[in-house]
Amino acid sequence: MYLKNCKTLKIGEFLNENYTFYAHIDDNNKNKKKELLSEHIDRVKYYFDLIFQAKKLDKIFLNIENKFFENCSKNSRKLFREMLLNTIILHDIGKLNPLFQDLKMQNKIIKDDYTNDEYRYAIGSKHSKISSTVYIHYYCKKLKEEFRDLQLEEKKVLRFFIVLNSFIISRHHSDLGDFETYVNEINNLSCSAKDSIFNLEKLLKDKNIDLFKKDKFILGEKTLNRLKKDIRELLENATKEKSICIFTYYRLVYSVLVSCDYLATSEYISSVKSDSVGEIQDINEFYYIFKNTDINKKIDEYRKTKNLEKDINRDENKLDKVCKNDEKDINEFRTEIFIESENSLVENKNENIYYFEAPTGSGKTNSSINLSYKLIEINKNLNKIFYIYPFNTLIEQTLDSLKNTFGNNKAVYEKFAVINSIKPIKTYSPTNKNNECTNEEFEYTDSDYQKFWLDKLFLNYPMVLTTNVSLFDIMFGSRRESCSGFYQLANSVVVLDEIQSYKITIWTEIITFFKTFADILNIKFIIMSATLPNLNFLLDGDIKTTSLIKNREKYFLNPKFKDRVKVSYELLNCEFNKDVLFEHVIKKMKLKKKILIEFITKKSAYEFYNRLKEEFPSEEGGCLIELLTGDDSIAERKRILNVVNSEKAEQNGIILVSTQVIEAGVDIDMDIGYKDVSTMDNEEQFMGRINRSGKRDGIVYFFKLDSIKDVYANDYRANTALTLLNEENRNILIDKNYSDYYKTVMELIKERNNELNENNIDDFFSKVGDLKSFEIEKRMKLVDDDNWSTTIYLCTKITLEDGTTIDGKEVWDNYKKLLCDNKMNYAKKQVKLSEIRSYMNYFTYQIVCSQIPCYNDMIGDIYCIYDGEEYFKDGKLNKDKFMNNIGEFI
C-alpha cells in the first residue's frame, strides 16, 4: 500500500524506441537470447516487490519519511515515495548508452567506424553514472515544474533525497563510497554524461534522432550548485538521530537495489527464480517443538504450579513434582528466570531494546531462544531472528542445543544457518516424507548451487547464527557484499550475547546506532550478559529500555548462584611467583580434582603446561594434563573438551591449562580454578566454568603474573584501580554488584567521547550523516586489524571425533585446484571453496613472526609448510621450534 499510486517510469520516458536495447548477455552460452533492458527492469521490479512485501518495508520507509517530512504536505511525501520506487527502476537506464550497447552487449546500433576516443573520454561504455545523472535531471525537473507550490524547506529535503538516491544508483556495481565526494562532482558528472550522450548521437545512423531526450537535461550549473548548497545545509543541521537515519536509509535502499539487481541477473543467467527472502512464515513451526522439549515442559509445569500459589513462598511438595533430583533448587531459580524474563517481555512488547542480565549458569541460552520466539509470536511484523555471539565456540554450543531440540525434524532444523568463517555455505539435502535426515548420496545441480550462494549472500534464512564481527560488517561494512543483506535486519529480532566483550571504546557508538536502528527498522534487540553494563548512561537523552529481570539481586545474591563458587585472594596477598603457583596447584592436584588454570598470555600458558608435563609424565591412573589455547585446531579443541568431560577426568583428576579462550562458550564443570587477574567481566566469566552444575565445592584463586594492559590495550577496565589489584573492588566479585563499577567505567568512556580529537563523538556522527563509508567502517570495527601476524598453513593429518582422517596436504592441493578451475559455475565454486576453507581451518594458524617463514607454497597471504608435523610436540604447537625458525610469539 505504501507505494500504491506511485508512477513507475518506463524506458520510453527517455528515448526514441526505434532501437532495441539489451541489459545482459550470457557469455557462457552464445546461443542464449540476449536479455532486453525492459525485461531486466521487469525482473528487478518483481524482486523489489518480493522484498518489499516479504520484509514489510512499508512501515520501515514510513518511519524514515516521518523523520524528514513530519510537517510536510502530502505531495512531498508522494514524490518521496515515487523517487524511492524509481531509484530501483532507473538504476540501469544508463545502459541506453550506445557505447555500452556496442562494446558490452554487441548491439551494433552505432554504424559509423569510430577510432577516436573523443566520445569515450568521459564515461565510455559505463552505465551507472549515466543512470544517476538521468535520475538527478529527471527529478529536479519534475520538482521544479510539477511541485512548484511546495514550501522551500520541503524542496530542500526532496533535493537532498534526489541526490542521495542518484548516489546510490551510481554505486550499485561498486563498494559504498563517500557522499561528499560525489556531491562535489555533480557538476562534472552531469556535464560529462550529457556530453557523452549528445556527442554519441552523431555516431548513430539516423542523425535526426535523439537517443536520450534532451528535455531531460535542462539543469544548468546554477541549479546544480544550489543542490550542493541545500545538501550541505541539511547535513550541517542534522542531529545524531537524523544522521543515523540518513545512514540507515542509504544502506537500506542500497542493499535492496543490489539484491534486486543481482537476483534479476541471476534469474536470466541461471534460470533460478527466487520466491522467498527466508522470512519466518509461522513461528509455531519452531515454537511448538521448542515448548515440547523435556526441560521446557517442566518449566511449563512449574509455571502452572506457581500460578496456583498466592504466597510467594515455595511449596516443596509441589516443587518435587517438577525437580526430583538434587539440582531442584538451582533449577527452580533457572525456571523462574525463564518465566520472569518472558513475562516482562510480554508486558513491554512494544519496546525495542531489552536488557537480560542473569548469573552465569542460569540458562540464558534457553531463555533467550524462548524470548526470541515469543517476540515473533506476539508481534506479527517480525519475521527473522539473528543470534549474535562474540565467539565461534558460543555459536557451536548454541547450534548443538538447537540440534538436540530440532534435529529430528529436518525441515525445521535446516532453517537455521550459521554464517561465519568456519562453517561452509549451507546446502540442503533431500528429506524423506517424515522430514527425517537422510544420508543418501545425491548430486546438486548448478541451479542448486546458485540457490545456496544467493541464500548466503542475502541471508535468506529464517534464523541466522553469526558473530558480532559479521553483524557489524552487515551494519557498517563498506564492501558491496557486506551491505547486500542489510535489509534483512528490518523487522527482525537480534539477540546479542556477552555484550561486555564488545570493544569498549565504541560502546557509545554501538548503543546510539542500536537505538536508531531499532526505531527505524523495527528491530527488537535482546542484549544479555552476566555483567551487563547500563549502556543507556552513554546516551545524551533518555532511552526507553526494558530490564527483563526486575530484581536482579533475587538471583545474583541467592546462595545457589552467589556462593556456588568461593573466591580466594590468598595468592594476591602473598609474595607471588611462578613457583608459588606451581606448588599451590600440585597440592590441589593430589586431591584428584578437576582444576582449571587461566593465564592471559599464551607464553605463560605454554611454560606452565610444559613444566607440568615434564614433572608429571602421563601414567596410568595419574592426573590428566591438557593445554587449550587459541592455537589449537577445532579438532584438537573438541578432543580436549571430551577429555575434560570424561569419566577418566572425574576419577583421576585433570589440570587444564588455558588462555582466555576458556571464558565463554565452553561447556565444562570444574572444581578448582586459578586465574591471572584481568578485567572484572573476565573474572566473572571464568567463574562460570567452576561448579557450573552446583554439585561441586567450587573455589577460584586469583593471582597476578602478566601485565593486564599489555593484553587489554585501550580497555579502561584494565586500569589497576578497576581490577582485583585494588582491594576495594574485591567485594564486587563476591557480591555481584557491578552497577557502581560500571558507573566509573562509563564516566571514563564519556570523557573520551568529548576529547577534541579523532575520538570526539559529535564529529564522528557528522561523518555518519556525510556517509563517509570507509571512516564509519574503520571506527565501528570490533576487532582491530593485526598487521603483525602471519597466516601459516601447517600440513598435518588429524582425526575427527567420528574417526575420519583429514590430510592437510590434500586439502591444500584441492584448494589450489579449485581456485584454478575457471570453467566451474561461479556459485558452485563459491560453495565448494567455502567447504574446503572449513577444512583448512584445522590447519591454519595466526603466527606473530619477525620475518616471513621458510615455506613450500603460497596462496595470497597464506604460507604453506608441507612438513607441519615437525612443529608439533604431543599434539601441541611447538613454540620453541617456531621461535627458533621463523619468529616470535605472543
Side-chain angles (χ1 to χ4, degrees):
M1 294 297 292
Y2 180 77
L3 296 176
K4 186 180 180 181
N5 302 323
C6 287
K7 179 182 178 180
T8 302
L9 293 175
K10 304 294 184 183
I11 294 177
E13 294 274 346
F14 302 94
L15 76 152
N16 185 297
E17 296 180 345
N18 289 345
Y19 297 96
T20 299
F21 295 89
Y22 299 107
H24 296 101
I25 59 176
D26 190 344
D27 292 327
N28 296 319
N29 186 353
K30 302 300 181 182
N31 296 322
K32 191 171 187 176
K33 184 180 177 182
K34 298 176 185 178
E35 182 188 40
L36 292 172
L37 181 56
S38 58
E39 292 173 339
H40 178 62
I41 292 173
D42 288 342
R43 286 190 172 105
V44 167
K45 180 63 165 55
Y46 163 79
Y47 287 110
F48 177 68
D49 291 339
L50 174 68
I51 292 172
F52 206 89
Q53 293 173 21
K55 289 304 300 176
K56 302 176 183 178
L57 296 183
D58 49 350
K59 293 183 179 179
I60 306 303
F61 281 107
L62 184 60
N63 289 338
I64 297 172
E65 181 183 307
N66 289 336
K67 297 286 185 184
F68 289 93
F69 296 91
E70 183 178 6
N71 299 315
C72 295
S73 65
K74 289 183 179 179
N75 282 338
S76 289
R77 291 174 178 260
K78 178 182 178 182
L79 184 56
F80 171 78
R81 297 180 187 189
E82 181 189 312
M83 286 159 46
L84 166 64
L85 170 62
N86 288 302
T87 300
I88 310 299
I89 301 303
L90 293 182
H91 81 280
D92 267 350
I93 197 70
K95 287 186 174 180
L96 297 175
N97 178 355
L99 278 179
F100 175 87
Q101 292 295 318
D102 184 69
L103 300 177
K104 299 293 182 69
M105 296 293 104
Q106 301 169 16
N107 183 16
K108 300 300 180 181
I109 64 172
I110 298 177
K111 304 302 180 183
D112 293 355
D113 179 34
Y114 61 96
T115 58
N116 196 311
D117 285 341
E118 176 185 357
Y119 306 118
R120 307 193 197 193
Y121 75 94
I123 293 180
S125 63
K126 295 179 181 178
H127 70 278
S128 297
K129 289 185 177 180
I130 292 181
S131 298
S132 67
T133 305
V134 171
Y135 184 93
I136 289 177
H137 282 263
Y138 178 84
Y139 274 108
C140 281
K141 177 176 181 289
K142 183 164 187 169
L143 178 61
K144 181 178 180 180
E145 295 181 353
E146 299 180 31
F147 293 84
R148 62 183 62 186
D149 294 333
L150 294 179
Q151 297 295 316
L152 178 60
E153 292 305 314
E154 293 177 274
K155 291 180 180 179
K156 286 182 178 180
V157 176
L158 286 166
R159 288 191 193 108
F160 172 79
F161 278 101
I162 288 172
V163 178
L164 178 55
N165 290 344
S166 75
F167 177 50
I168 294 169
I169 290 171
S170 76
R171 306 300 302 181
H172 78 271
H173 283 297
S174 312
D175 293 339
L176 298 172
D178 186 320
F179 185 46
E180 184 178 27
T181 301
Y182 177 80
V183 171
N184 289 336
E185 293 176 350
I186 284 178
N187 298 57
N188 292 334
L189 175 64
S190 177
C191 292
S192 297
K194 285 194 293 183
D195 289 345
S196 295
I197 292 166
F198 296 155
N199 286 335
L200 282 166
E201 293 172 8
K202 301 173 185 177
L203 301 177
L204 300 178
K205 182 177 181 180
D206 188 342
K207 305 294 184 181
N208 298 316
I209 294 178
D210 292 340
L211 180 64
F212 281 75
K213 293 182 178 179
K214 288 183 179 178
D215 64 357
K216 304 303 179 188
F217 295 89
I218 63 169
L219 303 183
E221 186 173 348
K222 182 178 178 180
T223 304
L224 293 172
N225 287 337
R226 180 58 186 267
L227 275 178
K228 293 194 284 186
K229 181 181 177 183
D230 289 346
I231 291 167
R232 179 45 47 200
E233 183 180 314
L234 185 146
L235 291 175
E236 286 177 351
N237 295 321
T239 61
K240 286 180 187 176
E241 185 179 24
K242 274 199 173 179
S243 292
I244 299 175
C245 189
I246 292 167
F247 175 79
T248 306
Y249 175 88
Y250 173 43
R251 293 186 76 84
L252 180 59
V253 178
Y254 176 88
S255 70
V256 171
L257 172 53
V258 167
S259 300
C260 294
D261 191 34
Y262 198 104
L263 291 167
T265 305
S266 173
E267 181 183 332
Y268 165 70
I269 298 294
S270 65
S271 300
V272 174
K273 185 170 184 176
S274 299
D275 57 6
S276 169
V277 297
E279 71 275 21
I280 295 173
Q281 301 285 354
D282 181 9
I283 191 59
N284 289 321
E285 181 181 24
F286 303 89
Y287 216 176
Y288 176 81
I289 298 172
F290 179 78
K291 288 177 178 177
N292 281 279
T293 59
D294 290 341
I295 185 171
N296 291 325
K297 284 195 287 188
K298 289 179 180 180
I299 289 172
D300 191 53
E301 184 178 346
Y302 176 80
R303 189 199 310 263
K304 293 174 182 176
T305 301
K306 187 173 182 180
N307 285 342
L308 296 175
E309 300 179 33
K310 295 181 180 180
D311 189 353
I312 196 169
N313 294 326
R314 298 173 182 82
D315 184 330
E316 290 296 327
N317 292 327
K318 292 179 179 177
L319 290 177
D320 280 338
K321 297 177 183 178
V322 181
C323 307
K324 298 182 179 180
N325 55 38
D326 294 335
E327 288 186 294
K328 70 176 183 180
D329 291 330
I330 199 166
N331 279 339
E332 177 187 346
F333 280 103
R334 288 168 179 155
T335 299
E336 291 190 359
I337 287 171
F338 182 101
I339 295 170
E340 181 180 345
S341 62
E342 179 186 305
N343 290 342
S344 296
L345 181 123
V346 173
E347 290 169 7
N348 298 275
K349 63 181 180 180
N350 294 323
E351 299 304 327
N352 290 329
I353 298 179
Y354 303 93
Y355 289 131
F356 183 25
E357 185 177 19
T360 52
S362 62
K364 286 193 294 295
T365 298
N366 191 54
S367 290
S368 67
I369 294 171
N370 176 62
L371 294 170
S372 63
Y373 291 173
K374 179 59 69 173
L375 274 171
I376 303 282
E377 182 183 62
I378 62 180
N379 189 324
K380 302 305 179 184
N381 286 322
L382 301 173
N383 56 19
K384 193 177 289 282
I385 300 174
F386 290 86
Y387 297 109
I388 310 299
Y389 303 95
F391 312 109
N392 284 317
T393 51
L394 282 168
I395 294 178
E396 292 296 324
Q397 183 176 305
T398 303
L399 191 63
D400 288 342
S401 176
L402 292 171
K403 188 172 184 179
N404 289 335
T405 301
F406 300 102
N408 290 330
N409 191 316
K410 186 179 175 106
V412 174
Y413 180 65
E414 286 200 333
K415 292 181 180 180
F416 295 90
V418 174
I419 306 295
N420 63 6
S421 59
I422 294 177
K423 289 287 185 180
I425 293 173
K426 189 173 183 65
T427 57
Y428 309 98
S429 55
T431 56
N432 61 26
K433 62 182 179 180
N434 296 319
N435 285 326
E436 296 172 346
C437 299
T438 65
N439 294 317
E440 300 173 7
E441 292 294 327
F442 55 91
E443 288 291 333
Y444 292 126
T445 65
D446 285 349
S447 295
D448 291 330
Y449 284 112
Q450 187 69 20
K451 177 69 166 60
F452 303 151
W453 170 241
L454 292 175
D455 285 347
K456 185 266 180 184
L457 188 61
F458 300 114
L459 305 176
N460 291 336
Y461 314 104
M463 301 190 191
V464 176
L465 289 79
T466 190
T467 62
N468 50 13
V469 172
S470 294
L471 175 68
F472 274 47
D473 189 43
I474 295 167
M475 288 180 167
F476 308 110
S478 62
R479 294 179 304 116
R480 184 170 179 258
E481 186 175 319
S482 300
C483 191
S484 57
F486 182 81
Y487 68 86
Q488 294 280 17
L489 294 173
N491 293 307
S492 66
V493 178
V494 178
V495 181
L496 299 137
D497 195 13
E498 307 295 356
I499 190 71
Q500 81 289 337
S501 67
Y502 290 34
K503 189 163 70 174
I504 194 170
T505 53
I506 58 170
W507 278 6
T508 304
E509 292 89 325
I510 289 172
I511 191 60
T512 305
F513 272 114
F514 282 3
K515 175 184 180 297
T516 306
F517 282 165
D519 291 341
I520 295 173
L521 298 174
N522 189 34
I523 299 175
K524 304 291 185 181
F525 287 103
I526 299 174
I527 301 174
M528 61 183 191
S529 172
T531 55
L532 189 62
N534 184 1
L535 298 177
N536 296 9
F537 185 78
L538 298 172
L539 295 171
D540 293 334
D542 293 334
I543 173 176
K544 186 66 184 298
T545 58
T546 296
S547 294
L548 296 177
I549 302 299
K550 302 301 181 184
N551 181 13
R552 66 180 297 280
E553 285 74 20
K554 172 184 175 182
Y555 305 106
F556 279 92
L557 298 184
N558 184 275
K560 292 298 178 182
F561 289 112
K562 178 176 178 289
D563 299 336
R564 196 183 77 228
V565 181
K566 292 183 174 63
V567 177
S568 172
Y569 299 122
E570 65 181 81
L571 295 179
L572 287 177
N573 297 328
C574 71
E575 290 291 328
F576 181 82
N577 56 44
K578 294 179 182 178
D579 292 333
V580 171
L581 176 63
F582 192 81
E583 292 303 321
H584 201 283
V585 170
I586 298 311
K587 289 180 181 178
K588 300 298 180 183
M589 173 183 168
K590 296 175 181 178
L591 301 175
K592 292 193 174 183
K593 296 286 188 178
K594 298 177 72 174
I595 301 171
L596 174 63
I597 310 170
E598 182 192 307
F599 296 90
I600 59 176
T601 66
K602 291 180 185 177
K603 183 175 182 294
S604 293
Y606 271 87
E607 287 176 354
F608 198 86
Y609 167 76
N610 288 332
R611 183 176 177 183
L612 283 171
K613 293 291 285 185
E614 287 171 5
E615 297 200 22
F616 299 96
S618 300
E619 57 182 47
E620 188 64 32
C623 181
L624 306 175
I625 300 171
E626 295 285 353
L627 171 67
L628 180 64
T629 75
D631 289 336
D632 292 306
S633 69
I634 301 169
E636 173 67 358
R637 178 189 178 86
K638 288 184 177 180
R639 182 198 68 77
I640 293 168
L641 295 181
N642 285 338
V643 171
V644 172
N645 294 320
S646 68
E647 185 176 339
K648 188 174 183 180
E650 291 285 349
Q651 293 175 348
N652 298 357
I654 185 171
I655 298 176
L656 176 60
V657 181
S658 180
T659 56
Q660 300 97 310
V661 297
I662 203 69
E663 289 175 3
V666 180
D667 190 13
I668 58 174
D669 191 4
M670 311 297 278
D671 298 294
I672 301 170
Y674 292 86
K675 186 180 185 306
D676 196 356
V677 169
S678 57
T679 73
M680 298 295 285
D681 300 274
N682 295 94
E683 324 300 31
E684 179 68 35
Q685 288 297 325
F686 177 82
M687 289 172 64
R689 309 309 117 197
I690 310 299
N691 193 18
R692 193 170 180 83
S693 65
K695 295 179 179 180
R696 303 175 183 276
D697 295 322
I699 186 170
V700 171
Y701 299 91
F702 288 97
F703 60 89
K704 171 67 177 74
L705 183 61
D706 293 313
S707 171
I708 308 171
K709 291 187 177 181
D710 288 347
V711 179
Y712 297 90
N714 300 320
D715 193 329
Y716 304 115
R717 293 168 295 184
N719 292 344
T720 299
L722 292 170
T723 70
L724 294 178
L725 300 180
N726 181 351
E727 293 187 22
E728 294 179 4
N729 294 325
R730 294 180 184 178
N731 285 333
I732 291 176
L733 200 60
I734 297 172
D735 297 333
K736 311 302 179 186
N737 181 19
Y738 294 104
S739 57
D740 291 340
Y741 163 77
Y742 266 118
K743 282 181 182 178
T744 304
V745 174
M746 297 299 183
E747 290 290 354
L748 291 171
I749 296 174
K750 277 196 164 186
E751 287 179 20
R752 181 182 187 275
N753 293 341
N754 295 324
E755 292 176 358
L756 298 177
N757 54 26
E758 70 276 2
N759 298 327
N760 187 272
I761 198 74
D762 292 328
D763 287 349
F764 170 68
F765 280 107
S766 292
K767 294 176 182 177
V768 170
D770 290 341
L771 303 177
K772 294 187 177 297
S773 301
F774 303 115
E775 293 185 45
I776 296 168
E777 177 183 41
K778 182 179 178 181
R779 177 83 164 235
M780 297 306 296
K781 267 195 172 181
L782 287 177
V783 179
D784 295 325
D785 292 332
D786 182 358
N787 297 321
W788 299 100
S789 65
T790 302
T791 305
I792 308 292
Y793 185 94
L794 297 174
C795 295
T796 60
K797 291 183 180 180
I798 62 171
T799 302
L800 303 182
E801 287 182 289
D802 61 2
T804 302
T805 299
I806 304 177
D807 188 323
K809 179 62 167 55
E810 288 183 8
V811 173
W812 178 264
D813 289 341
N814 289 336
Y815 182 59
K816 284 182 62 178
K817 181 179 179 182
L818 185 56
L819 284 175
C820 296
D821 188 343
N822 296 320
K823 295 182 179 180
M824 184 180 291
N825 169 276
Y826 176 79
K828 180 178 181 180
K829 187 172 182 177
Q830 295 306 309
V831 174
K832 293 294 184 182
L833 282 172
S834 76
E835 292 172 348
I836 290 182
R837 286 175 183 138
S838 71
Y839 286 112
M840 290 177 70
N841 282 308
Y842 288 115
F843 309 98
T844 304
Y845 300 85
Q846 295 297 322
I847 309 295
V848 176
C849 303
S850 58
Q851 59 186 21
I852 296 176
C854 295
Y855 59 92
N856 302 105
D857 201 357
M858 179 181 177
I859 299 176
D861 60 353
I862 306 175
Y863 298 93
C864 178
I865 299 174
Y866 290 163
D867 55 346
E869 296 286 357
E870 291 187 15
Y871 293 94
F872 288 85
K873 181 180 179 181
D874 298 329
K876 313 305 294 185
L877 203 59
N878 189 330
K879 292 288 193 180
D880 293 334
K881 189 156 189 175
F882 258 111
M883 283 190 285
N884 293 334
N885 284 276
I886 63 172
E888 214 173 283
F889 288 79
I890 57 170

